[in-house]
Amino acid sequence: MIRRAVLVVLGLVWLGPTYLLLVNASRPASSYDPGSAWAPSGDFALFENFGKALESANLTQSLASTALYSILSPLLGVIIGALAGYVIVVLRLRGGFWWFLLIFGGTVFPSQMLLVPLFVGYSDAGLYDSRLGMILIYTAVNVPLAAFVLRNFYTGVAFSIFEAARMDGASTWRIFWRIYLPISLTALTAVFILEFTFIWNDLVFGLTLTQTEEVRPVMTAIAGLMSDVYAGTPVPVGLAAGLVVSLPTVLLFLATQRLFARGLSLGSVQ
């Protein structure tokens, strides 16, 4: 009984910020009062507030750019990661373990350490504030996780499958594309979902490497709603924008949660 009560209390504490977000994002912009933030207003103005955010920050272009980044970069990342796992495990690349450490070792360093060299490098290469530059950095950031999961997955696949395909005359590329990639589709999907969520919610790289409305990710645009650039934006408008924009990641996870859990278990350490 005590344990259940403690869990209920902890659950309510954990859900407190979510409750505040929902209540105040749905509140009419003109009736926001920090002193009554916990009390529902009785009026539902979520989509009205979101419409104001679309108009104030021109979120339509940012949403289009974010959708491009969140689909294309994870897709490229999982394919490159799968290729890395295939070469290291199946083709038995010499020094494969050290190559894997080189690929995965980049995740040891916090992304904040990369910001200054990235900014300088992107400025020199002409990639700053470009969609190509954002696709490249998001793809590079996503490759290590895909390589880690797919390397572990391919270690559990019988090597005789590769040998049989080679005896039938299939090339190494054909074996990868027609055999290993399809059988790892569940694990690839799980990694894709994780990477989609990361890119969709990213703020750090968007703030550092973009400037214009056409290129910047949507979370960067929403952050600007509450800054001096958009001075005077009501709090409910910013909260409504953040809430509605976050829905695609929530819906994607709810729609694929079983596939997601199964994919991660397939890609776990053997």
Side-chain angles (χ1 to χ4, degrees), residues 77-82 85 142-151 188 191 195:
V78 296
I79 292 177
I80 296 173
N142 290 328
V143 166
L145 175 62
F148 174 76
V149 173
L150 272 299
R151 172 185 175 271
L188 288 170
V191 176
E195 295 178 346

Side-chain angles (χ1 to χ4, degrees), residues 15-82:
L15 291 173
T18 304
Y19 169 79
L20 284 173
L21 172 62
L22 292 172
V23 168
N24 291 285
S26 304
R27 182 189 307 277
S30 58
S31 65
Y32 175 74
D33 180 10
S36 59
W38 288 91
S41 66
D43 297 321
F44 186 80
L46 175 63
F47 296 108
E48 179 184 348
N49 292 335
F50 181 65
K52 293 179 180 178
L54 282 176
E55 182 179 354
S56 300
N58 196 12
L59 295 182
T60 304
Q61 297 186 67
S62 297
L63 281 169
S65 296
T66 304
L68 174 65
Y69 306 150
S70 300
I71 294 174
L72 185 57
S73 293
L75 185 62
L76 293 174
V78 296
I79 292 177
I80 296 173

Side-chain angles (χ1 to χ4, degrees), residues 126-238:
L127 293 173
Y128 177 75
D129 197 33
S130 68
R131 287 180 173 176
L132 175 60
M134 297 304 293
I135 291 172
L136 289 176
I137 184 58
Y138 284 138
T139 301
V141 169
N142 290 328
V143 166
L145 175 62
F148 174 76
V149 173
L150 272 299
R151 172 185 175 271
N152 294 330
F153 178 84
Y154 289 146
T155 56
V157 178
F159 186 69
S160 58
I161 295 177
F162 176 79
E163 294 177 321
R166 288 293 290 167
M167 291 182 64
D168 289 339
S171 64
T172 54
W173 170 253
R174 186 177 180 85
I175 294 172
F176 169 76
W177 192 254
R178 300 297 298 272
I179 298 178
Y180 278 83
L181 200 62
I183 65 176
S184 60
L185 185 60
T186 304
L188 288 170
T189 303
V191 176
F192 179 89
I193 295 170
L194 279 175
E195 295 178 346
F196 177 94
T197 304
F198 164 75
I199 295 174
W200 189 274
N201 294 325
D202 173 65
L203 176 63
V204 173
F205 291 115
L207 283 174
T208 307
L209 302 177
T210 64
Q211 184 177 15
T212 59
E213 296 176 348
E214 296 80 7
V215 179
R216 65 184 179 187
V218 68
M219 291 302 173
T220 305
I222 292 175
L225 276 172
M226 310 308 295
S227 69
D228 292 336
V229 179
Y230 301 102
T233 301
V235 172
V237 173

